[in-house]
Amino acid sequence: MKLSLTVNGQPRSAEVPPLKRLLDVLREDLALTGTKEGCGEGECGACSVLLDGELVNSCLVPACQAAQAEVATIEGLCNPDGQPGPLQRTFLECGAAQCGICTPGMIVAAHCFLKTDEPASEQRIREALAGNLCRCTGYQKIVDAVRLEARAAR
Amino acid sequence: MFRDAVASVGEVGRSPARRDGSEKVTGRALYLDDIQFPGQWWGRTVRSRVAHGVIKSVRLDPAFDWRGIVCVTARDIPGENVVHLIEDDQPCLADGRVRHCEEPIALLASNDRERLEEAVEHVRVEIEALEPVLDPLKSSRVFKELLIERNVEALPAVFASADRVIEGTYLVGHQEQMYIEPNAVCATPGEDGAMTLHGSMQCPFYVHRALQRLLRLDERKIAVIQTVTGGGFGGKEEYPSMIACHAALLARKAGHPVKMVYRRDEDVAATTKRHPAIVKHKTAVARDGALLGCEIEIVMDGGAYCTLSPVVASRGVLHAGGAYRWPACRIAGRVVATHTPPNGAFRGFGVPQTIFAMEAQMERIAAELGIDPLKLRQKNAYVLGDQTPTGQTLNWSVAAQEVLDAAAARSQFAEKSARFSAAKNGRRRRGIGLSLALHGAGFTGAGEVKLKSRAGVELTARGARVLSSSTDIGQGTITIFAQMAADALGVSMDDVEVAAPDSSRLPDSGPTVASRTCMVVGGTIEKAARQMGRVLSAYAAGCYGVPEGSVSCRGGVFFDGSRALAPFATIAERYLRDLGELRVIEQYAQPPGIEWDEQNYRGDAYVCFGWAATAVEVTVDLDTGEVQVDRVVQACDVGKAIHPILCAGQIEGGVVQALGYALLEELVLKDGRVVNSRMQNYVIPTSLDAPAIEAILIENPYPHGPQGAKGLGELPMDGPAPAVAAAIFNATGALVPQLPITPERLLSMLEARK
Amino acid sequence: MILSGIQVNTVSTLAEAYALLAKSPPGLRVLAGGTDFMVQLNARTGVDSLGQVLDIWNLRELRGVECTDGLSIGALTTYSDLIRSPLVRELYPALCDVAREVGAWAIQNRGTLGGNVCNASPAGDTLPVLLAADARFVLGGPRGERVVPASEFFLGYRKTALAKDELFLRAELPLPSPRQRLVYRKVGTRRAQSISRTILAVRASPDGAVLSEVRVAAGCVAPIPIRCRVTESVLEGEGLDDRLVAAARNALNADIQPIGDVRGSAEYRRRASANVLEQLLRGLAGSA
């Protein structure tokens, strides 16, 4: 199928089998390798992207269901010059990334949570990020970063 | 967060944003699978489904279209069919006999990834199954046996006359590293048999040497380059040699780069795990809680091949007595073979296993004697000047008491322990538990001397470039090396680069393991940088006609006494122009007075120890056995916190990984085959399972460590599991002697006590 | 099975869907949010005979929560939709709460009630709640619509009453009577992204300690999610005291047939289920 969609504000298209995973479309056809694969079963969240504003695991979204959709990936959260945006800078300051493989998905999820504007309690932050597994950080500095960013945004 | 902070000027002791952070948060960091190698093919592995057997035949299904697909078996190996490590007993591809489920038998490669997936199902392997040995207690094949004895002649009398003799048996299971990036490599064939290997790994030189033996190639024809690595934890210490050998064989036959990225279930089922262990304790104690003597017996399950088992067993045995003074002891350990996937390195490397047993035994002792668990530990914990079971005198940097005090105070242990154990109402019970752990930094005994690790710096136009094969796997190697080299040279961190690990271009700094990277390699880099500083100072003195002795570099400027001479960059450019390159490589030197007897296992096992006390608070659900961890406090003595945020990161990450070990992570095997090889079924902690972690950094300098620094990578992993068991004990009166403490095990024990 | 060769039919109306179903294409699988189907596809399990895919994600007719003479929940209602629905929160808060315990946020945005129902896993988390609520499932196809009570929908391990040419359209839950409460407890393998070890749902109208209109449903303790009818009959109309609790625990033991699997033994499931039942009952009857 010819898949036409908007990725990070840009119209993109690719010729792909309809069941090709959105994750693979992004990484292979669109050369956006910021989104990662950790498990292929929707458990780890390393593949998290926004699909029409909602957080999804792109390893579970077939191309046929991304037609005409607006997708946001980690690359889209950077500043126009490619440098880290505000949330990404806060992650850096807090030491919230170690090996970094979970980081793109984690930041996309955190960004999505912060967009909801709900009170950023420790519990709610942890619940929002519970679908993004991290093996390095123990989550502490990630939660700290999100809390800090929530406060800064208000 | 600090105690006794050593005043530092410069980069060390600060927490600058990590050097590789910008790429990681923007998604620009290139992990192996993000890289498109020109003309790349993909590779897959055909594995045994049987734990033990004789291979009768390996056939390609004639009904399948094999065009465009390359197949490799043991016959295609030009050199030795071995993945070189310690014993060289592990074949790269099974030939004749299989000894574990998932053992690799054949390899396939193609540039059509979909057809390749199909092809894997069409390799027909016929195996005549043999009876497997799956119980380590029934195995007769011993990889290594160890014995540590101290005043062992006195032991019978000690046991006979002790006020109490307390016994306990403790079981710990496998643990899977579950790095979020699976094993991934790409082998690129070059001219004349040369091979370049890119991959996710901890130890480029291990891979380099393995490829040499397998391919029968001169070392200069091989280059191993570490790509940004998404987690290792020991799981990418020795295993990458295997996948690299596989990719190289396929690349050689296909004539194209071959990329191998493991599927998650394949990675969980086939690669190395933490060694399961059975640990028996028999302890003689005095009524007042003094530990008088012990017999400890350890059996570890090494899986089918030796890998690093002797070293894991060694470290486990050396830490089995915990952080306590033993007037007399006998500690025996052995690691044996079973027909299961080989076990290997995982953060802690034998220590989490034996410390769990020792600390659980301490809880048992405290309860039987009616002594507070904190006081029992304080009474027996090492102090400066004590001797370990191997006869090592702890001459420096001992902080057992200090970390205990810090963790107990911050967690309000005494008050909560009393309050929680008195509260007997309701179906949910709270508890608090404590543990004390130690971790020897660097390789055991003469290991560091044998490694002859080399690292250094070379001059650049504005500063220096660090040259080392140590890898950053998330812990922050690149960042701390830049800090340490910058301080040693007297320049800003911004002017120090760290070269990307490439085995063809960089000195062998030894593996990135054993909590050695900062202390051993960082220290060696500092030494080299100081030497470079002396050379440049002498040169600058010559340039300006001033006495050598009064020239030094501070804040990026060369000074003659207090008079500024020139910026570093000016001197550097001039040097490079006049004299060419300046490279200083140093070799690690063991501090004086360290003596180890490998034959008799006596002497100074480690140059120094790190110390950690962990306090864990839990809520136990008596209806389901579920345990929620509410809070963890861990105090660690690190010698010197080179980068406090990175240090805290090691503590927080290690603690949560250990909570998984304690409560959630159980590898289920049936007939030697892993049954729960997916993330859905082998569960690690989520952000909701992890509580807030409070890290307390204590600095008790190691006099021969760089700025006093010791090791920290593994220490945080050693203590939380027994602290969890102790907390559950405090809450319920049940001490579960087995990990993981699943709801089922706990509920079973609670029911049995009714 | 070569992935790129599988045909996907994305339909925009029920009529289109029914037209395809009427043709009975071999190996047809229905695709909603993909949180089960795509996992199977990735793992190459359960897709051996996959022929074609019917993609129903765009069927507006299957979305939405309404309340007329009952609560009507469209099959494509996601877990996030359930969590956010004021109607569901008001009438069946247990369904909102159990939806929060399915997977995690990203799964909740794509997983659907219909997927949970039609996959019919014995571990499906919403299923005991639907059973305890006396839900009825509206099925439709080219041959028309019919209603099947939830308690008659699950026929065997991952086998349902859905015919090959039918789709699950919506679940209908009766308006709860004034004093009625529905409570549940999921015992999972961890605090998020977890499969249940056992899960119980209990509905009752407590009058003091007397429970009536009792429904008890359980998951993970049989090949299908079940109503625990012996337990229900023991409890119905009786005042909850220690003796009745003990009787209910025994009855539950007769109702369930748990097996041991990778998540735990049959023994554990029995113990934990009985304890959870007691906890839920005492909570309903107002005694701790």
Side-chain angles (χ1 to χ4, degrees):
Chain A
M1 66 174 285
K2 175 154 192 254
L3 173 66
S4 297
L5 69 171
T6 306
V7 182
N8 298 327
Q10 298 298 313
R12 304 293 301 263
S13 68
E15 184 66 42
V16 295
L19 289 179
K20 186 165 187 174
R21 305 179 308 176
L22 176 60
L23 173 64
D24 298 320
V25 174
L26 292 168
R27 287 175 57 80
E28 292 168 13
D29 299 277
L30 304 182
L32 292 166
T33 58
T35 308
K36 311 295 179 194
E37 176 165 9
C39 73
E41 52 175 309
E43 288 286 327
C44 74
C47 68
S48 301
V49 300
L50 300 188
L51 183 65
D52 291 329
E54 289 204 314
L55 187 71
V56 299
N57 296 122
S58 63
C59 73
L60 298 184
V61 177
C64 59
Q65 291 183 350
Q68 309 307 327
E70 287 195 21
V71 175
T73 70
I74 183 68
E75 289 92 343
L77 295 183
C78 301
N79 286 343
D81 61 359
Q83 290 303 303
L87 175 59
Q88 289 156 312
R89 281 200 302 279
T90 305
F91 260 64
L92 275 175
E93 278 154 30
C94 291
Q98 289 188 28
C99 84
I101 192 81
C102 79
T103 303
M106 192 70 76
I107 289 178
V108 168
H111 168 83
C112 198
F113 172 71
L114 290 165
K115 262 192 334 157
T116 67
D117 231 8
E118 56 164 293
S121 67
E122 170 113 8
Q123 180 63 21
R124 275 303 292 138
I125 294 172
R126 286 180 181 272
E127 203 179 328
L129 300 181
N132 292 80
L133 297 181
C134 175
R135 198 53 158 163
C136 292
T137 67
Y139 303 104
Q140 186 61 56
K141 295 190 179 329
I142 294 172
V143 172
D144 291 345
V146 178
R147 209 188 298 115
L148 198 62
E149 186 62 20
R151 246 181 265 142
R154 276 148 211 186
Chain B
M1 186 153 88
F2 276 97
R3 297 277 182 99
D4 304 324
V6 172
S8 51
V9 187
E11 308 287 1
V12 167
R14 298 195 309 114
S15 293
R18 61 183 302 138
R19 188 46 80 78
D20 54 353
S22 192
E23 303 93 87
K24 287 176 173 175
V25 299
T26 55
R28 281 198 314 270
L30 293 176
Y31 300 80
L32 192 285
D33 197 28
D34 298 331
I35 304 171
Q36 293 304 314
F37 295 86
Q40 77 185 19
W41 284 29
W42 282 271
R44 290 277 272 121
T45 311
V46 176
R47 301 177 177 281
S48 171
R49 287 177 213 222
V50 154
H52 187 205
V54 176
I55 301 174
K56 294 310 235 190
S57 65
V58 180
R59 277 195 274 262
L60 302 185
D61 178 1
F64 187 83
D65 179 2
W66 291 97
R67 284 173 300 175
I69 299 178
V70 150
C71 179
V72 159
T73 63
R75 278 194 295 279
D76 294 292
I77 296 173
E80 294 168 65
N81 182 6
V82 76
V83 181
H84 166 64
L85 196 58
I86 299 181
E87 284 303 321
D88 287 350
D89 66 334
Q90 186 172 25
C92 174
L93 290 171
D95 190 10
R97 190 165 275 236
V98 292
R99 293 188 176 83
H100 65 88
C101 280
E102 314 304 333
E103 181 156 12
I105 297 171
L107 306 166
L108 301 174
S110 175
N111 68 346
D112 182 338
R113 205 169 183 188
E114 258 195 315
R115 281 224 304 131
L116 179 64
E117 274 310 308
E118 291 295 302
V120 176
E121 305 303 318
H122 288 272
V123 178
R124 306 262 173 265
V125 180
E126 209 194 315
I127 299 178
E128 180 193 306
L130 298 171
E131 192 63 34
V133 175
L134 299 174
D135 180 353
L137 292 174
K138 300 207 171 90
S139 170
S140 57
R141 189 162 152 237
V142 181
F143 290 127
K144 178 90 179 176
E145 260 184 299
L146 303 121
L147 183 64
I148 295 175
E149 293 179 313
R150 180 179 170 77
N151 292 334
V152 74
E153 338 64 52
L155 265 182
V158 165
F159 279 117
S161 63
D163 290 327
R164 301 285 287 275
V165 172
I166 294 162
E167 297 190 44
T169 300
Y170 305 95
L171 271 67
V172 293
H174 292 92
Q175 191 184 13
E176 155 59 37
Q177 297 84 349
M178 205 60 94
Y179 24 73
I180 304 293
E181 182 210 14
N183 272 284
V185 300
C186 185
T188 303
E191 279 179 27
D192 205 21
M195 193 64 66
T196 301
L197 193 296
H198 288 81
S200 183
M201 66 182 71
Q202 295 173 225
C203 311
F205 277 93
Y206 280 7
V207 177
H208 192 119
R209 284 195 277 274
L211 287 173
Q212 264 181 267
R213 296 278 293 273
L214 181 91
L215 299 175
R216 191 163 284 147
L217 277 181
D218 179 81
E219 67 170 346
R220 283 161 303 177
K221 296 201 126 177
I222 297 170
V224 178
I225 298 159
Q226 181 225 5
T227 47
V228 180
T229 296
F233 315 110
K236 292 176 185 167
E237 171 174 345
E238 77 271 30
Y239 193 80
S241 295
M242 171 73 78
I243 186 177
C245 283
H246 289 171
L249 287 172
L250 285 171
R252 193 174 162 269
K253 191 156 186 183
H256 291 271
V258 173
K259 185 191 263 191
M260 296 188 84
V261 178
Y262 279 0
R263 300 163 50 91
R264 177 57 62 182
D265 58 326
E266 176 177 26
D267 202 302
V268 174
T271 72
T272 56
K273 318 255 170 313
R274 186 183 296 290
H275 289 64
I278 302 142
V279 185
K280 289 199 163 121
H281 274 260
K282 182 174 164 193
T283 320
V285 296
R287 184 170 300 122
D288 67 354
L291 299 173
L292 305 173
C294 70
E295 272 175 14
I296 306 176
E297 202 190 299
I298 299 149
V299 177
M300 287 189 178
D301 182 349
Y305 295 108
C306 182
T307 69
L308 297 170
S309 290
V311 199
V312 176
S314 161
R315 197 176 261 275
V317 163
L318 286 165
H319 289 74
Y324 308 110
R325 222 172 8 262
W326 293 100
C329 64
R330 181 177 191 278
I331 305 173
R334 69 180 191 276
V335 57
V336 302
T338 60
H339 291 108
T340 61
N343 297 309
F346 190 163
R347 195 179 199 171
F349 208 80
V351 182
Q353 294 96 315
T354 59
I355 289 284
F356 171 72
M358 182 70 249
E359 289 300 287
Q361 178 74 349
M362 289 298 272
E363 289 294 313
R364 197 187 290 273
I365 291 167
E368 292 219 15
L369 294 179
I371 293 181
D372 172 71
L374 171 61
K375 294 205 168 70
L376 178 67
R377 289 178 169 90
Q378 286 168 329
K379 186 179 180 63
N380 292 285
Y382 284 132
V383 296
L384 210 57
D386 276 341
Q387 269 203 6
T388 70
T390 61
Q392 173 171 9
T393 303
L394 296 171
N395 280 323
W396 48 57
S397 199
V398 176
Q401 303 289 350
E402 222 180 325
V403 296
L404 268 177
D405 290 343
R410 174 75 69 86
S411 66
Q412 300 147 296
F413 176 77
E415 184 273 319
K416 285 186 167 173
S417 180
R419 178 161 38 105
F420 292 159
S421 69
K424 298 283 177 233
N425 300 320
R427 301 301 294 163
R428 290 162 66 79
R429 301 278 168 83
R430 294 176 69 182
I432 187 168
L434 195 64
S435 76
L436 176 64
L438 79 175
H439 202 97
F443 264 47
T444 305
E448 289 298 341
V449 175
K450 288 203 198 106
L451 274 177
K452 303 210 222 320
S453 298
R454 297 167 70 245
V457 284
E458 70 185 354
L459 188 62
T460 65
R462 38 182 293 198
R465 179 179 303 116
V466 173
L467 305 173
S468 151
S469 64
S470 295
T471 55
D472 198 318
I473 53 174
Q475 82 284 53
T477 305
I478 299 172
T479 307
I480 63 165
F481 280 2
Q483 286 174 279
M484 294 164 85
D487 273 10
L489 266 179
V491 301
S492 147
M493 203 179 144
D494 293 338
D495 296 325
V496 177
E497 299 165 33
V498 178
D502 176 336
S503 67
S504 67
R505 293 200 215 161
L506 297 178
D508 184 356
S509 316
T512 305
V513 304
S515 306
R516 62 189 295 277
T517 300
C518 173
M519 185 182 81
V520 173
V521 186
T524 306
I525 290 167
E526 269 196 348
K527 203 163 61 161
R530 279 196 295 270
Q531 174 60 16
M532 175 180 281
R534 282 191 287 272
V535 170
L536 290 172
S537 292
Y539 176 75
C543 292
Y544 289 86
V546 295
E548 214 178 285
S550 58
V551 176
S552 66
C553 185
R554 301 192 291 284
V557 176
F558 277 95
F559 286 84
D560 167 30
S562 54
R563 180 170 68 104
L565 290 177
F568 187 98
T570 304
I571 302 295
E573 272 172 33
R574 203 167 148 175
Y575 188 104
L576 290 169
R577 196 189 58 216
D578 290 350
L579 298 173
E581 73 166 25
L582 175 58
R583 223 179 204 237
V584 181
I585 307 289
E586 293 281 352
Q587 183 169 303
Y588 173 74
Q590 196 88 305
I594 305 285
E595 309 233 354
W596 173 250
D597 175 359
E598 180 75 27
Q599 280 291 80
N600 299 306
Y601 250 64
R602 293 207 55 71
D604 305 320
Y606 299 97
V607 297
C608 66
F609 290 86
W611 309 88
T614 313
V616 172
E617 262 188 64
V618 301
T619 301
V620 179
D621 188 306
L622 299 179
D623 287 328
T624 61
E626 288 168 291
V627 175
Q628 179 187 303
V629 181
D630 299 316
R631 184 184 181 205
V632 177
V633 172
Q634 187 177 85
C636 289
D637 168 31
V638 304
K640 168 73 182 176
I642 303 292
H643 186 303
I645 283 187
L646 287 176
C647 286
Q650 287 306 291
I651 294 174
E652 292 154 8
V655 165
V656 173
Q657 208 170 32
L659 293 180
Y661 183 48
L663 292 168
L664 295 178
E665 297 179 41
E666 181 158 39
L667 199 75
V668 180
L669 285 103
K670 187 164 152 44
D671 301 325
R673 186 143 203 226
V674 175
V675 164
N676 59 333
S677 58
R678 289 167 50 180
M679 279 205 184
Q680 179 194 73
N681 280 329
Y682 179 97
V683 294
I684 68 173
T686 68
S687 55
L688 275 177
D689 296 286
I693 315 283
E694 293 163 63
I696 303 171
L697 289 174
I698 288 174
E699 292 176 316
N700 215 300
Y702 159 51
H704 300 286
Q707 317 226 11
K710 301 191 275 194
L712 180 56
E714 297 169 278
L715 176 66
M717 185 107 210
D718 299 329
V724 169
I728 294 169
F729 191 26
N730 178 238
T732 65
L735 180 66
V736 181
Q738 181 174 5
L739 295 182
I741 302 172
T742 59
E744 172 154 357
R745 286 201 174 105
L746 178 55
L747 203 63
S748 218
M749 198 161 174
L750 292 173
E751 295 283 315
R753 286 159 47 94
K754 279 207 196 125
Chain C
M1 178 207 62
I2 294 282
L3 187 75
S4 48
I6 307 284
Q7 184 185 329
V8 175
N9 308 281
T10 298
V11 295
S12 319
T13 66
L14 261 185
E16 277 177 54
Y18 289 172
L20 182 62
L21 289 169
K23 289 198 216 132
S24 274
L28 185 76
R29 288 283 299 266
V30 173
L31 168 65
T35 59
D36 276 306
F37 178 75
M38 292 300 285
V39 175
Q40 288 182 19
L41 211 58
N42 283 342
R44 309 180 129 239
T45 54
V47 286
D48 292 333
S49 52
L50 177 62
Q52 297 186 39
V53 171
L54 170 57
D55 171 13
I56 61 169
W57 187 247
N58 295 336
L59 291 183
R60 264 184 258 252
E61 298 100 313
L62 302 191
R63 293 195 187 273
V65 177
E66 284 173 7
C67 184
T68 48
D69 53 354
L71 182 66
S72 173
I73 306 174
L76 288 181
T77 305
T78 65
Y79 298 105
S80 290
D81 291 336
L82 287 172
I83 292 165
R84 289 190 294 244
S85 164
L87 277 174
V88 181
R89 167 62 47 194
E90 187 199 328
L91 297 171
Y92 283 98
L95 201 50
C96 294
D97 293 338
V98 78
R100 274 175 87 169
E101 292 199 69
V102 173
W105 196 11
I107 297 291
Q108 291 159 11
N109 285 337
R110 295 278 300 180
T112 60
L113 191 74
N116 214 218
V117 168
C118 296
N119 285 315
S121 162
D125 287 329
T126 64
L127 308 184
V129 174
L130 293 173
L131 283 169
D134 271 347
R136 289 152 16 114
F137 297 148
V138 180
L139 318 177
R143 295 177 290 119
E145 288 189 9
R146 61 192 181 106
V147 180
V148 176
S151 53
E152 289 166 34
F153 184 76
F154 304 102
L155 304 179
Y157 180 68
R158 290 184 179 266
K159 275 178 53 185
T160 70
L162 207 59
K164 273 206 157 80
D165 64 347
E166 283 179 319
L167 293 178
F168 167 55
L169 302 181
R170 59 188 177 275
E172 288 179 349
L173 280 61
L175 288 179
S177 59
R179 271 205 285 256
Q180 203 174 80
R181 290 177 55 206
L182 200 165
V183 293
Y184 81 97
R185 180 167 173 190
K186 167 177 173 169
V187 181
T189 54
R190 58 182 167 182
R191 306 248 332 261
Q193 293 279 52
S194 85
I195 302 179
S196 299
R197 291 192 160 114
T198 183
I199 174 166
L200 269 87
V202 180
R203 185 197 81 176
S205 295
D207 184 359
V210 176
L211 303 174
S212 56
E213 295 176 339
V214 177
R215 299 283 180 269
V216 178
C220 305
V221 290
I224 60 171
I226 54 167
R227 284 269 301 276
C228 303
R229 296 193 189 259
V230 180
T231 313
E232 289 171 1
S233 69
V234 159
L235 289 166
E236 182 66 36
E238 300 289 337
L240 195 77
D241 57 12
D242 289 351
R243 198 201 47 82
L244 188 66
V245 165
R249 291 176 66 112
N250 279 336
L252 185 70
N253 215 29
D255 275 322
I256 65 179
Q257 326 124 39
I259 57 168
D261 67 8
V262 71
R263 277 174 288 283
S265 68
E267 184 66 39
Y268 173 74
R269 289 186 160 95
R270 284 189 185 282
R271 275 203 190 119
S273 301
N275 289 342
V276 167
L277 176 68
E278 175 167 345
Q279 177 203 6
L280 294 175
L281 289 175
R282 290 192 187 279
L284 279 171
S287 61

